[in-house]
Amino acid sequence: MKVYISEAAFVNIIISAIEVYRKECLGILLGHKVGSNKYVVEYAVPYQSADRKYTEVKLKTMREQRLKKNLKFLTYISEIGDFHSHCNGTIELSDTDIEDMEGSKSNISIIISVTDQKKRILWQSLKDGDISGNIGNDFSVRLSCYYIDRKKNKPSKATIICPYALSFKYIQENAREAALMA
Ligand SMILES: [Zn+2]
């Protein structure tokens, strides 16, 4: 499974995670499926003032229903999954995450792991399908994407394709230089 992430979605996922850092963010992914083994994530929309603890089960269900009901009046793009952040350094799905995925009709789930930055690394694709890099001088970030393998009925890892993230290092270098000159 390949999951293409647009610039807009990438920026939103990262901003959402950093905004509430040390708390977890949660939101939905809008986009479409291409063929049988590719998703395109066009937009990522965070749930407002959502702490994952509160959004589990009831609130999440209620918001999702409201959103699904009204989304079709706004756009032809549909909900294809969700995203949330981890601040404990793990990129793996928790037991709750697995239950959530197996129980929901969501197709894909992106985890963004945010930690304090320890060393500078350039944005890169990793062998396991993740992408990782730094934001400025403060944060290290890694994105993983899972989908439910319908044959096994278990979450499996997808390969993230995000050309914007890989071009992102140049934006960051320019921002650093601009900050030094200011
Ligand atoms: Zn999680």
Side-chain angles (χ1 to χ4, degrees), residues 133-146:
N134 291 338
I135 307 296
N137 299 315
D138 297 336
F139 303 106
S140 292
V141 166
R142 180 164 170 167
L143 272 76
S144 282
C145 185
Y146 296 86

Side-chain angles (χ1 to χ4, degrees), residues 24 26 52-58 60 82 84 86 88 92-104 109 111 148 155:
E24 295 186 349
L26 172 70
R52 181 148 171 83
K53 285 191 196 77
Y54 300 121
T55 53
E56 273 168 27
V57 212
K58 258 192 185 167
K60 194 173 165 226
D82 53 36
H84 72 273
H86 284 179
N88 58 3
E92 287 80 28
L93 296 168
S94 69
D95 291 346
T96 317
D97 294 342
I98 293 172
E99 274 171 40
D100 263 10
M101 273 201 89
E102 289 175 350
S104 80
S109 198
I111 306 234
I148 292 283

Side-chain angles (χ1 to χ4, degrees), residues 47-151:
Y47 283 123
Q48 296 191 46
S49 65
D51 188 315
R52 181 148 171 83
K53 285 191 196 77
Y54 300 121
T55 53
E56 273 168 27
V57 212
K58 258 192 185 167
L59 186 56
K60 194 173 165 226
T61 309
M62 189 192 79
R63 287 181 173 188
E64 264 177 16
Q65 282 169 352
R66 189 188 298 163
L67 188 125
K68 275 177 190 156
K69 195 175 154 195
N70 288 285
L71 194 60
K72 59 179 175 289
F73 297 110
L74 280 169
T75 172
Y76 290 115
I77 294 174
S78 51
E79 184 190 357
I80 53 170
D82 53 36
F83 70 94
H84 72 273
S85 59
H86 284 179
C87 306
N88 58 3
T90 66
I91 200 72
E92 287 80 28
L93 296 168
S94 69
D95 291 346
T96 317
D97 294 342
I98 293 172
E99 274 171 40
D100 263 10
M101 273 201 89
E102 289 175 350
S104 80
K105 298 270 186 297
S106 277
N107 297 298
I108 56 171
S109 198
I110 290 177
I111 306 234
I112 169 169
S113 165
V114 184
T115 52
D116 292 340
Q117 191 177 131
K118 293 198 179 69
K119 59 173 182 181
R120 273 176 71 170
I121 50 162
L122 293 176
W123 276 86
Q124 57 188 317
S125 294
L126 305 175
K127 283 202 180 77
D128 62 1
D130 294 357
I131 57 172
S132 75
N134 291 338
I135 307 296
N137 299 315
D138 297 336
F139 303 106
S140 292
V141 166
R142 180 164 170 167
L143 272 76
S144 282
C145 185
Y146 296 86
Y147 69 101
I148 292 283
D149 185 327
R150 294 292 166 199
K151 280 186 196 127

